[in-house]
Amino acid sequence: MFRLNQLAGQFKEVKFLADPLEYLQLYDMLEKDEKDICYAVRKFAQEKAAPTINKYVEAAEFPTEIVEALKPLKLIHKTNTYVKTGLAYLELAKVDAGLSTFYLLISSLVPHSIETFGSEEQKQKYLTRIKDMDILGGWALTEKEYGSDASSIQTTVKKVQGGYLLNGNKRWIGNGNKDILVVWARNSENNNIEGFIVENKWAGVHAEPIKHKLALRIVQNCQITFKDVFIPDENRMPKAKDFQNGVTQALQHSRVGVPWIALGIQAGVYENVVKFITRRKQFGKHIAGFQLQQERLAKILTTFQASFLMVLQVSRLAQEKKATLGQIAAVKAWVTDKTREVARLGREMMGGDGILIENYCIKALTDAEVVYTYEGSYDINSLIAGREITGLAAFK
């Protein structure tokens, strides 16, 4: 179980655990096909993404060459369960949580919305190209004035001959400047929030990446404006009839995936910290032998074990359609909260070197803040769980 690291100089050979999944033999809880996905994505992430990802992070640029290298794996076709998809998120997030978030959008939110709420014609037109990564999509719900209060969005559609006119704005939309968008808008006739497939090339669509953000830097989060965008009737998703039977269902699905990204951040912190403290020497010994370092390392590792067990269980329940909205929300809230602590501890353990991008932990620290917030903030998810536990709603 334990891998060996040969330390240079006068230091003896030291045993250390390099892979956090090995500690409680967590691999034994996975099926063979799940492990195959894990290993395949790990190989891609380490060989194709890790060598160049940080230059894109520093420039806040979309990593086109890495995404092109991902296409031949046909990964979206293979990750057909919550656990398989989640393991892909985990392995990508160990390299960069932004890359993992990008993959969540194109593998979960966008295709799942079309599969669940779309017509057969829409599925035929878009799904294969999405899953082949020939087109990239975003999921447009949040607006500048409406984040957690998503049911109050003001972007509207108005019925006209042959389709709808779309007007309004969206903010923080990942992949918002790519090929297509799943857009949620209020129907001016019935006041319901309905779903539409919008192509970015259409007249009246303007997407501008948000600048100066210091987390998930490769993700192209956009401010989008829609001015009299004509949406043909055939691009309205017929089963996305209102907020509950549309937005809520879609978020319940994708929210299972977010804790897997948080797990990847935890694992990335652990692996980078172990690599660092078994090489770094101070006061005549490697710092892995110091009491405070070992206490922090044990806390990081045990947090990962507990988080993994929670995330795996809720993913199994979701696959069997047994997971409740509150259970998923509770796991998302708890695991992302603990991920912030793990990232902070990892940065502390590296001292000044912890703020260097190549040592991962400072990147993990900022990215963890976003994962803690998106797909429902910690507070909102906690209240969703609290409502389910008590039967009393403490929020709108």
Side-chain angles (χ1 to χ4, degrees), residues 3 23 45-46 48 51 70 77 85 91 123 132 146 151-152 159 167 191 202 218 242 289 293 375 386 389:
R3 299 178 183 176
Y23 191 58
Q46 296 302 322
K48 302 294 186 181
L70 184 60
H77 292 280
T85 307
E91 292 298 334
K123 295 174 188 178
D132 287 344
Y146 299 96
S151 63
S152 297
K159 189 72 181 79
N167 284 280
N191 208 38
W202 291 349
I218 68 154
D242 55 36
Q293 294 284 52
E375 297 280 345
I389 295 165

Side-chain angles (χ1 to χ4, degrees), residues 88-386:
Y89 299 155
L90 187 158
E91 292 298 334
L92 292 172
K94 280 165 57 176
V95 170
D96 186 74
L99 184 62
S100 189
T101 297
F102 157 78
Y103 184 70
L104 179 141
L105 284 165
I106 65 167
S107 66
S108 178
L109 267 172
V110 175
H112 174 76
S113 294
I114 297 173
E115 282 181 318
T116 304
F117 310 116
S119 66
E120 289 305 314
E121 292 77 13
Q122 290 166 356
K123 295 174 188 178
Q124 299 248 344
K125 183 176 181 180
Y126 293 108
L127 277 181
T128 299
R129 290 191 293 157
I130 291 170
K131 292 183 178 182
D132 287 344
M133 295 176 59
D134 290 332
I135 57 174
L136 303 177
W139 200 82
L141 172 65
T142 300
E143 298 177 4
K144 186 173 182 179
E145 303 298 333
Y146 299 96
S148 296
D149 188 12
S151 63
S152 297
I153 60 170
Q154 296 300 304
T155 295
T156 62
V157 287
K158 180 181 179 180
K159 189 72 181 79
V160 295
Q161 186 174 2
Y164 298 82
L165 280 184
L166 172 68
N167 284 280
N169 75 86
K170 298 292 178 181
R171 187 165 175 82
W172 294 115
I173 309 307
N175 295 345
N177 59 349
K178 301 304 178 185
D179 303 302
I180 67 167
L181 296 165
V182 171
V183 176
W184 301 94
R186 189 176 299 280
N187 189 319
S188 59
E189 290 186 351
N190 57 28
N191 208 38
N192 287 336
I193 294 173
E194 300 176 353
F196 301 84
I197 303 171
V198 173
E199 298 188 16
N200 288 57
K201 64 184 179 183
W202 291 349
V205 179
H206 179 73
E208 188 71 29
I210 297 169
K211 299 185 183 302
H212 310 304
K213 64 188 181 80
L214 296 177
L216 299 185
R217 285 175 58 79
I218 68 154
V219 179
Q220 301 301 291
N221 294 102
C222 292
Q223 173 74 38
I224 306 175
T225 56
F226 304 109
K227 184 167 179 58
D228 292 333
V229 178
F230 177 73
I231 305 174
D233 281 327
E234 57 265 28
N235 277 55
R236 176 183 174 273
M237 294 190 293
K239 298 177 185 176
K241 297 179 179 179
D242 55 36
F243 191 85
Q244 195 65 33
N245 298 297
V247 173
T248 299
Q249 286 187 33
L251 287 175
Q252 182 169 351
H253 173 82
S254 65
R255 202 170 276 156
V256 179
V258 176
W260 285 99
I261 298 177
L263 279 176
I265 295 173
Q266 291 184 23
V269 168
Y270 176 84
E271 292 181 8
N272 280 275
V273 162
V274 164
K275 189 163 53 177
F276 182 87
I277 67 173
T278 52
R279 294 174 181 171
R280 175 77 167 164
K281 309 168 193 174
Q282 289 289 289
F283 305 107
K285 62 185 294 189
H286 55 83
I287 63 174
F290 293 163
Q291 289 181 357
L292 290 178
Q293 294 284 52
Q294 291 190 2
E295 186 272 339
R296 289 183 173 95
L297 189 64
K299 185 176 288 186
I300 291 171
L301 182 57
T302 52
T303 299
F304 177 84
Q305 309 304 303
S307 298
F308 186 91
L309 293 170
M310 290 179 72
V311 175
L312 182 64
Q313 175 65 359
V314 83
S315 298
R316 299 278 193 226
L317 289 173
Q319 195 64 43
E320 298 171 2
K321 302 189 184 305
K322 294 179 181 178
T324 67
L325 183 63
Q327 290 169 339
I328 294 167
V331 172
K332 194 272 181 184
W334 191 88
V335 173
T336 58
D337 183 42
K338 291 300 180 184
T339 300
R340 298 164 87 204
E341 180 183 7
V342 163
R344 177 180 57 78
L345 289 171
R347 210 292 307 156
E348 288 177 3
M349 292 177 71
M350 291 185 176
D353 287 334
I355 68 168
L356 297 175
I357 193 170
E358 61 263 29
N359 287 330
Y360 185 82
C361 286
I362 193 66
K363 184 171 70 168
L365 194 58
T366 58
D367 289 347
E369 289 298 317
V370 186
V371 177
Y372 175 78
T373 302
Y374 70 34
E375 297 280 345
S377 68
Y378 173 86
D379 295 327
I380 291 296
N381 277 305
S382 296
L383 293 175
I384 290 171

Side-chain angles (χ1 to χ4, degrees), residues 8-116:
Q10 75 269 35
F11 301 105
K12 297 179 180 179
E13 189 177 72
V14 177
K15 290 183 178 181
F16 69 89
L17 181 68
D19 184 348
L21 281 159
E22 292 181 343
Y23 191 58
L24 291 181
Q25 301 177 39
L26 298 177
Y27 286 114
D28 293 347
M29 304 181 73
L30 302 176
E31 303 294 334
K32 181 184 182 302
D33 58 343
E34 294 168 345
K35 285 185 272 193
D36 288 343
I37 289 290
C38 182
Y39 300 146
V41 180
R42 181 179 302 169
K43 179 178 172 63
F44 165 83
Q46 296 302 322
E47 294 181 1
K48 302 294 186 181
T52 59
I53 190 65
N54 284 337
K55 76 174 184 180
Y56 292 103
V57 173
E58 289 198 290
E61 292 179 355
F62 184 72
T64 302
E65 69 169 288
I66 295 174
V67 172
E68 286 298 314
L70 184 60
K71 286 173 67 173
L73 270 66
K74 300 288 185 183
L75 195 58
I76 301 176
H77 292 280
K78 298 173 184 175
T79 51
N80 55 359
T81 69
Y82 285 107
V83 174
K84 290 179 187 176
T85 307
L87 288 165
Y89 299 155
L90 187 158
E91 292 298 334
L92 292 172
K94 280 165 57 176
V95 170
D96 186 74
L99 184 62
S100 189
T101 297
F102 157 78
Y103 184 70
L104 179 141
L105 284 165
I106 65 167
S107 66
S108 178
L109 267 172
V110 175
H112 174 76
S113 294
I114 297 173
E115 282 181 318
T116 304

